[in-house]
Amino acid sequence: MADTGSKSWAATVLTLYPDMFPGSLGQSLAGKALHDKIWALETVDIRDFARDKHRNVDDTPAGGGAGMVMRADVVGQAIDHVYDADVSNDDPDKMDRRPLIYLSPRGKPLTQARVRALSEGPGVVLLCGRFEGVDERVLEARQVEEISLGDYILSGGEPAALTLLDAVVRVLPGVMGKQASGEDESFETGLLEYPHYTRPAIWEEQEIPAVLTSGNHKKVAEWRRAQSEELTRARRPDLWEKFCKESRQTD
Ligand code: SAH
């Protein structure tokens, strides 16, 4: 019989700051799922792979300039250690290689589609940069995929890794329980989500839109859909354009 779903979705994070984990991932939905072994988290301290007595992991940039660069030899050894362990812990025939991702502002922006795709695989190996980043040779030699959280610079890859894992873990089967599996949420439909309301019915003289308390499910769905479209058009013309193009293709 096929071995399905018995193994946890496995994340390994290569970092100079292992104490930053599980951090926020130890709480709430992700924390409960970690406790329930729906997913597993391991950190690897890159400094353990330093070769000299000072345990240096970085050096000055070739060509000069400010800052420091993470050394290819140290990072390369840390990566190889993770994949060697994957192969020896499992039947190599069955081993599905986990994607290796370097969190980097030069990467492809993270999308909900990529989050879903990652959640459907065996797990992920995340490399967190510090300083100016990682020696380019190791990125090329180990076929590292670069993923960015957005067009701004963080001080390190760790908060980006926590964010990526948070997004993936919440869509793993069993994590969100019986509530909607998030399929209605912003980006899943290609649109931003409609606005939400709850009690009290009147707050600071403002009422909840009447259609939502009408009990007419069809009208509610239509109202929500129209709101989603309107919000997307106004706030994210880029998404709106993509959405319109895709709906024309499926017509
Ligand atoms: N010199 C680099 C920035 C280095 S910031 C540049 O100009 O492109 C240090 C580390 O933080 C990076 O190696 C990366 O791992 C992480 N980081 C910074 N901004 C990020 C972003 N927008 N998305 C993902 N990771 C980021």
Side-chain angles (χ1 to χ4, degrees):
M1 209 166 80
D3 173 21
T4 47
S6 59
K7 250 187 112 222
S8 305
W9 190 87
T12 299
V13 182
L14 297 153
T15 172
L16 289 170
Y17 295 93
D19 291 348
M20 289 190 183
F21 298 86
S24 57
L25 299 172
Q27 308 272 318
S28 188
L29 279 185
K32 181 167 185 300
L34 192 56
H35 181 260
D36 294 346
K37 299 194 164 53
I38 294 176
W39 71 294
L41 175 65
E42 167 197 42
T43 52
V44 170
D45 189 345
I46 296 172
R47 201 169 292 280
D48 289 345
F49 298 86
R51 289 153 172 235
D52 62 334
K53 66 174 191 299
H54 300 294
R55 306 227 299 157
N56 278 322
V57 293
D58 57 322
D59 214 323
T60 52
M68 300 295 271
V69 177
M70 290 170 75
R71 293 171 55 117
D73 51 354
V74 177
V75 173
Q77 280 239 325
I79 293 170
D80 294 346
H81 165 82
V82 172
Y83 285 101
D84 289 350
D86 269 10
V87 171
S88 57
N89 286 344
D90 284 89
D91 177 356
D93 293 338
K94 276 198 222 148
M95 196 55 217
D96 203 357
R97 190 184 186 272
R98 292 183 289 161
L100 172 58
I101 293 173
Y102 170 45
L103 284 317
S104 150
R106 301 187 318 187
K108 223 171 148 183
L110 184 63
T111 60
Q112 190 63 21
R114 187 74 181 103
V115 163
R116 283 260 174 216
L118 284 171
S119 78
E120 284 156 15
V124 74
V125 179
L126 298 176
L127 170 60
C128 300
R130 282 273 153 181
F131 320 113
E132 293 309 314
V134 180
D135 186 305
E136 191 69 20
R137 290 170 296 179
V138 75
L139 300 178
E140 285 168 10
R142 295 297 179 271
Q143 287 152 22
V144 181
E145 175 187 350
E146 295 187 43
I147 289 188
S148 168
L149 280 206
D151 293 342
Y152 44 81
I153 307 292
L154 299 169
S155 54
E158 291 79 6
L162 288 167
T163 305
L164 181 147
L165 290 175
D166 182 282
V168 173
V169 167
R170 71 182 278 288
V171 298
L172 290 175
V175 173
M176 284 205 289
K178 272 208 161 68
Q179 351 163 332
S181 61
E183 274 154 22
D184 225 19
E185 230 116 20
S186 291
F187 310 118
E188 295 284 5
T189 54
L191 295 170
L192 301 181
E193 202 183 38
Y194 48 81
H196 297 288
Y197 301 86
T198 186
R199 278 179 276 275
I202 302 175
W203 178 74
E204 295 190 351
E205 289 159 39
Q206 294 186 74
E207 289 179 18
I208 293 173
V211 58
L212 296 181
T213 48
S214 68
N216 183 331
H217 298 303
K218 186 162 171 277
K219 283 258 154 58
V220 169
E222 281 166 8
W223 181 87
R224 285 181 167 165
R225 176 67 185 202
Q227 290 281 320
S228 273
E229 293 189 4
E230 186 51 38
L231 274 170
T232 310
R233 205 169 53 80
R235 296 189 184 179
R236 291 292 302 274
D238 57 322
L239 282 182
W240 180 243
E241 197 180 315
K242 194 164 160 246
F243 174 79
C244 293
K245 217 159 95 194
E246 279 163 16
S247 10
R248 273 199 299 275
Q249 275 164 5
T250 54
D251 276 350

